[in-house]
Amino acid sequence: MKKLASLLLFAIITIVAHSQPCLPEGITFSSQAKIDSFQINYPNCTEIEGDVTILGEDITNLSGLSNLITIKGSATIGGFWNEALTSLTGLENLVIIGGRLRIIGNEKLADLTPLNNLTTIGEDLQIAGNDSLTSLNGLEKIDTIRGDLEIGSGLWILGGNRR
């Protein structure tokens, strides 16, 4: 009977641990080390409730974020400081962003293909100032943008229509 009770308690704790809310206040990744340690610090986090900002001079890859499926807030990648980021590899499992998605000022970002499972953006999609970006491949599965679509070059963003 003790074994059954222990097993049941373990199962309940495991279920609760996997379904706990993650980072309701959001998170800013300001270094590669912070990205690399994300799965260690938040091993069961697949859904971030707050905003996510990725902004750091030494960030080269996003592999440490590969367990993310949903960001309920907004996501900002860049802001004219991600000089070393060449790929969004690590975001392949991301399906939903509840707020806005901004990919801005990533000088060496070559492609968006790791976003190929993204289907929903709850607000605006803004892409600008990514000088090495030559296509929007990877965004084909997006079927919902509940805001503006803004694609531009340099520091200026060209506006789109509300959908």
Side-chain angles (χ1 to χ4, degrees), residues 5-83:
S6 295
L7 184 60
L8 185 58
L9 181 61
F10 176 75
I12 291 170
I13 290 171
T14 301
I15 290 168
V16 169
H18 285 297
S19 63
Q20 285 182 332
C22 172
L23 299 164
E25 71 286 349
I27 188 168
T28 296
F29 295 99
S30 55
S31 68
Q32 186 65 51
K34 198 165 183 181
I35 289 173
D36 293 344
S37 64
F38 179 71
Q39 289 184 19
I40 295 165
N41 295 332
Y42 305 96
N44 299 319
C45 183
T46 60
E47 180 177 297
I48 295 178
E49 291 189 15
D51 295 340
V52 172
T53 301
I54 300 169
L55 179 64
E57 292 180 21
D58 73 330
I59 296 174
T60 58
N61 72 78
L62 307 179
S63 296
L65 306 179
S66 63
N67 57 335
L68 287 180
I69 296 170
T70 302
I71 298 170
K72 285 189 173 182
S74 293
T76 301
I77 302 169
F80 307 102
W81 290 102
N82 289 349
E83 297 173 3

Side-chain angles (χ1 to χ4, degrees), residues 71 73-77 88 91 94 97 99-104 115 118 121-127 139 142 148 150:
I71 298 170
S74 293
T76 301
I77 302 169
L88 301 179
L91 299 181
L94 192 59
I97 297 175
R100 129 184 339 116
L101 172 59
R102 299 179 75 211
I103 303 172
I104 298 177
L115 296 176
L118 186 62
I121 299 172
E123 293 180 20
D124 306 330
L125 170 58
Q126 301 172 323
I127 301 172
L139 303 180
I142 296 175
D148 290 336
E150 301 177 15

